[in-house]
Amino acid sequence: MFSFSGPAVGRRAFLLGSASLACATALNVQPRVARAQTREVKLVAAPGRVSLVGPPHPDTDVWCYGGRVPGPEIRVRQGERLRVSVENRLAEETTVHWHGLRVPNAMDGVPHLTQKPIAPGETFVYDFTPPDAGTYWYHPHQRSFEQVGRGLYGPLIVEEPQSIAVDRDVTWVLDDWRLLKDASIAGGFGGMHDVSHNGRVGNTVTVNGRVTEAFPVRAGERIRLRLINAANARIFALEFEGHAPQIIALDGQPVEAHVPAGERVVLGPAMRVDLLLDLTGKPGQRFRVVDSFYRSLEYRLLDVVYADDAPLRDLAKAEPVRLPANPLIEPDLKLATRHEVTLGGGMMGGMMSAMMDGKRADMRTLMHSGLVWAINGIAAKGHVHEPLLTLERNRSYILQLINDTAWPHPMHLHGMSFRVTARNGKPTRHREWQDTVLMMARERVDIAFVADNPGDWMFHCHILEHQVGGVMGVIRVA
Ligand code: C2O
Ligand code: CU
């Protein structure tokens, strides 16, 4: 086993992992109680100019929080209250949604459904206490296909009461941009081709807001790597050549540590994966991290580059890592009520018509309104509509999600996390908790949860062009 107090690692580990170490040390002295601490944060949403591609390419005009992409990392301890005042200096309305956090409905940041959008020049204060530790992120919910696409997003980390033993806690916010030759962002947000096909998949991938060449590491290091997919549409499947990182959390929620199928770490838009990355290579070595999701479009994301320093420790002797559970309520699968939720439409989907504004509309009429998708036969525009489903508070539900389209969809439920219990009728191995579940074309996925958070919650595809094109609905918990 290795520990931070051991003389062999002491100073180095302290330098590398001072944050987690400091917490661990403090905890031994004084167990954490949910002290009525409040973290105050100020976010300004405004146009900015940042270097996405790096010199010699020019900087890129973006919309962002705090003048940077990604926006400032918000970090709180579990049980700590968070107050974020958001000032809108954009030329249009905005809101902030705390993706994956189980917040009270009025703090959920959905325009018109949970709040009046924040007008230019105005400020809104979000005030809530994140119940779950883990990796989350924040982004606008107003015209998100353009606002997120232009750079409005940031990481939000809720620390466990007891930090796990790693040398470094690293976040990679992944994004995908459609850039022109001069590194400016291509227009055409929400264009019909993107809406009806794959979404706005771009041509430039950034890690923490920058096209990145190398990730420097040291042999023997153990890293908690938090991946956040902030892209509008790109799905990532990362392969860490020469390494076998284990997934320890999905969408913020702990999961039994495991190496994923095919050693590919798959993240649909909005999803998060926490990896335990053991740097088992040798000093001076270099390995590629490759994204191989889209067949024949595989590319190198970056290189993992080992310093020449001697290994920090023998990782073969490293202890397994276990994250503490979050306070989620277990659904009762025997008593659960079942509902079917079917996604239809899109190119090659064969949808002929759908209900729009309470009336049946044929495909041509739908497309005139920018809609090409439907949930349970309803194509929804805007955020406010009759609920797809009304659930009774504190009861268990199983939703059978049926992807009756030719495209993948990362389906996101606000307000509650759910267990993914089955795929195509087969029980899942890890019964993972998620807030965004990636469904492949024609796939059926069962999700189960207790409807314990009252309010009207969005349920939508997080390919943001699909969302605006109708893969969206409201689930009411009353
Ligand atoms: Cu990340 Cu409804 O959103
Ligand atoms: Cu979709």
Side-chain angles (χ1 to χ4, degrees), residues 408-411 461-463 466 471:
H409 301 284
M411 295 303 296
C461 180
H462 223 288
I463 290 180
H466 290 179
V471 198

Side-chain angles (χ1 to χ4, degrees), residues 42-115:
K42 171 137 184 82
L43 282 181
V44 178
R49 203 167 155 79
V50 300
S51 176
L52 292 179
V53 194
H57 301 275
D59 290 355
T60 302
D61 285 317
V62 295
W63 300 351
C64 60
Y65 296 111
R68 7 194 299 225
V69 176
E73 179 184 270
I74 299 177
R75 212 171 240 272
V76 288
R77 308 228 85 196
Q78 192 172 11
E80 199 176 5
R81 178 171 164 197
L82 183 60
R83 272 172 59 91
V84 189
S85 89
V86 177
E87 185 186 336
N88 180 8
R89 284 196 214 143
L90 302 165
E92 60 183 56
E93 295 179 329
T94 194
T95 63
V96 179
H97 171 60
W98 312 95
H99 185 113
L101 286 177
R102 301 185 294 132
V103 300
N105 193 253
M107 296 293 124
D108 201 42
V110 179
H112 308 291
L113 187 70
T114 70
Q115 72 169 98

Side-chain angles (χ1 to χ4, degrees), residues 3-26:
S3 93
F4 289 109
S5 46
V9 278
R11 202 180 101 84
R12 174 76 188 178
F14 185 77
L15 290 174
L16 289 173
S18 52
S20 41
L21 184 72
C23 300
T25 314

